Amino acid sequence: MPKATIDDVAELAGVSIKTVSRVFNREPNVRESTRDKVQRAISELNYQPNKAAQNLAGHRSRLIVLIYDDPSAYEIPSAGFIIRMQEGALRACRTANYELLIHPCRYRIKDVAKEMKALIEQVRPDGIVLAAPLSNVRKIVTAIEETDTPLVRVSPGKTNGKLFSVATNDREVCAEMTRFLASLGHKKIAFIMGHPEHKAVGNRFLGYKDGLEQSGLSFSEDLVASGDNSILSGEACAATLLKRKDRPTAIFAANDDMAAGVIRVADRLNIEVPGQLSVAGCDDIALAQQIYPALTTINQPLAAMADQAVMLLIDSARKSRTTQETAVVPATLKVRESTGPAPKD
Amino acid sequence: MPKATIDDVAELAGVSIKTVSRVFNREPNVRESTRDKVQRAISELNYQPNKAAQNLAGHRSRLIVLIYDDPSAYEIPSAGFIIRMQEGALRACRTANYELLIHPCRYRIKDVAKEMKALIEQVRPDGIVLAAPLSNVRKIVTAIEETDTPLVRVSPGKTNGKLFSVATNDREVCAEMTRFLASLGHKKIAFIMGHPEHKAVGNRFLGYKDGLEQSGLSFSEDLVASGDNSILSGEACAATLLKRKDRPTAIFAANDDMAAGVIRVADRLNIEVPGQLSVAGCDDIALAQQIYPALTTINQPLAAMADQAVMLLIDSARKSRTTQETAVVPATLKVRESTGPAPKD
DNA sequence: GGCCGACTAGACAGCGCTGTCATAAACAGG
DNA sequence: CCTGTTTATGACAGCGCTGTCTAGTCGGCC
């Protein structure tokens, strides 16, 4: 059986194709009885509109493209990141009856801009979700903007600029984590900063400081170390911090890998976690649950962010693009086993 | 600047739109000089053909849909599975200038068949890659076949049926693993079977038997245990196998999780791995490298399989659909630390 | 020189929809 | 009952391409 077209439906229902189109697209000004007739014809023929035709005639594709960094998506540790994003984006697409195209992108190659434009002009998506870290690569953002396609950038850290974007309350939640540690009685809470290139880094550090202040603790340079986001660097930082005679009773690392490094070092130095040392991380990667003790960390609501991003895109298509805004999806503390009351001395 | 259309190019080049189309699609019978003229016009205007129009007029969408099981894709342990598939599929799509649509699918809901058909008739993909375990769900396969869209099923285990599919040489490589263990001097090689629902299970067991035979070892029921693919069941099986006085010196589990369970039990029983017991798994999931000792296992070439699948799809579109075939992408042994020479007693 | 085939190029319909506009029907109000 | 307005429907163009068919051009060969 050849697939039914709008003409078939129109004929069967005894109306014009335009009326069928109206019914299918829930347009107003169709009499109830006509609507019924058409509905029956539609379901009888099992009619499904051809997207290509809709797209061509209607200038909208019901397609969202999710663009993310290519090689990093396939490295096991970050696979979770992109899967979560996809999960959220797909959820929003599904409810709005959109489809999702995924497009990994190597931003280091010269022709990214050209590649992006080609992609966009070919498929004409109704919107684009640009995942971190690409969300801060200027030439990509610019290329997309030049095509006039609605764009939402998703990034756990704050995105600079005034475009649509969705972010988390990184700073606030890091303050919350710090307060949480303080509330357990910790007075000497150390912080391990991450790779300075990461956008998120600054905010997390600021959040840490906020948290100290809010808890009535004073900030000390001596309790801050700088890593590069790797487990190894976490170990190095921990070694430094823990060797001090007046050592911290809690260490808050700007990401989970470094926190894992801290736990390793504590184990080596025979410092009990969480008995003698509380450790907290950030990101809630898979590893966080797999290590012992399971890591207290901050859950990144990646799926929710992507979901939000797609919804923004779809809404902005309906209404005219409103004021430029950035949505914030709150991250939450995941308290597990690596934190506990401060040791009494 | 409004996007250039084929008419713009034709006008600039001083030819008909059909000629532009010919040049762009590398059709024959265009004079070299004309081709050049058109090429120049194309690059000057930065022309990108509108896919929707191509699709509508040409009855081909240059779109591949990857369909996979929904909830399971988002569970962390299996995220790697689907990411790998995507990786391969994307690779093939990229080189052939196709785009990839991803479509998770909950196969337990009633209307899957209808949903699949709606998806297909709407987007009219040129081909569909159906990932395991969906590749063996009859109602989905049937629904897709009824739409006459080229379908390739990807499944680590063998797929039954006579459709296009790509699989691995599960049985052969399991035989290889068994021979490998035998070559290390092991005489008592036990096997832990997985969940009987899994298609792959039977083949792996057969491969194990093949391997024994090829190594001149005899098969014994006593050396076979049955788990359900979980770590816990692996522990249970290991406990049984290792409590026997005449205990095996090597255990080959049908998946990595169960192998991990074996290692846990060995640790608990103070049996050294690989000193006193060699352990091998299958699948090479992320966990395999994270546990200690790192697990010797069998690498599933998921990316390569998906790549292959998409290539099959694209080729079958070019030539007429040839004879139904199943491509086999070989899996390979990943020898790591959990296996070693049999203990001398 | 005339005819045939191989190349090359263009005219044109039409893929299956949606947008626009015209028209018809229904409904007010005076 | 007629005009003015709203509501319901249809006619038709056209989105930007590709497929088909036709027409012209060129050389080769008898």
Side-chain angles (χ1 to χ4, degrees), chain B residues 15-16 18-19 22 29-31 34 56-57:
Chain B
V15 298
S16 75
K18 181 63 215 187
T19 301
R22 282 203 190 68
N29 299 339
V30 180
R31 205 179 303 149
T34 321
L56 190 57

Side-chain angles (χ1 to χ4, degrees), chain A residues 7-36:
Chain A
D7 298 88
D8 302 331
V9 179
E11 192 177 345
L12 180 60
V15 298
S16 75
I17 59 168
K18 182 62 214 186
T19 301
V20 177
S21 168
R22 277 199 265 268
V23 172
F24 213 95
N25 296 298
R26 295 183 174 66
E27 284 172 35
N29 299 339
V30 179
R31 204 179 303 150
E32 197 58 39
S33 61
T34 322
R35 195 178 294 275
D36 282 358

Side-chain angles (χ1 to χ4, degrees), chain A residues 168-325:
Chain A
T168 33
N169 57 346
D170 238 35
R171 180 167 175 173
E172 289 74 15
V173 78
C174 283
E176 189 183 341
M177 176 66 88
T178 310
R179 290 198 307 272
F180 167 70
L181 293 170
S183 76
L184 289 172
H186 296 280
K187 304 289 178 208
K188 282 164 293 185
I189 304 173
F191 187 78
I192 301 182
M193 295 183 68
H195 197 82
E197 208 186 73
H198 256 234
K199 274 280 167 255
V201 162
N203 282 316
R204 293 184 182 172
F205 181 53
L206 291 174
Y208 159 70
K209 284 185 143 171
D210 291 348
L212 287 182
E213 196 181 323
Q214 290 156 4
S215 311
L217 297 174
S218 59
F219 168 74
S220 156
E221 282 288 356
D222 297 347
L223 289 174
V224 178
S226 264
D228 64 2
N229 286 348
S230 69
I231 297 198
L232 248 50
S233 75
E235 293 185 22
C237 291
T240 313
L241 291 167
L242 295 175
K243 242 166 232 154
R244 305 184 46 208
K245 45 201 167 314
D246 194 28
R247 73 174 195 225
T249 60
I251 297 182
F252 178 14
N255 82 343
D256 285 346
D257 274 329
M258 295 193 295
V262 174
I263 289 183
R264 285 237 273 249
V265 170
D267 189 46
R268 230 174 275 148
L269 298 177
N270 261 315
I271 299 175
E272 246 176 63
V273 176
Q276 300 169 268
L277 177 72
S278 284
V279 179
C282 191
D283 287 348
D284 197 18
I285 61 176
L287 181 66
Q289 300 191 57
Q290 292 163 357
I291 59 178
Y292 179 82
L295 190 63
T296 290
T297 183
I298 293 171
N299 170 254
Q300 297 286 352
L302 295 172
M305 290 167 76
D307 184 318
Q308 185 66 232
V310 171
M311 280 168 33
L312 241 65
L313 245 19
I314 293 174
D315 286 352
S316 87
R318 246 169 239 158
K319 310 155 201 173
S320 65
R321 213 203 241 261
T322 60
T323 164
Q324 304 189 321
E325 60 178 287

Side-chain angles (χ1 to χ4, degrees), chain B residues 15-28:
Chain B
V15 298
S16 75
I17 59 168
K18 181 63 215 187
T19 301
V20 177
S21 168
R22 282 203 190 68
V23 172
F24 212 96
N25 296 299
R26 294 185 174 67
E27 284 172 34

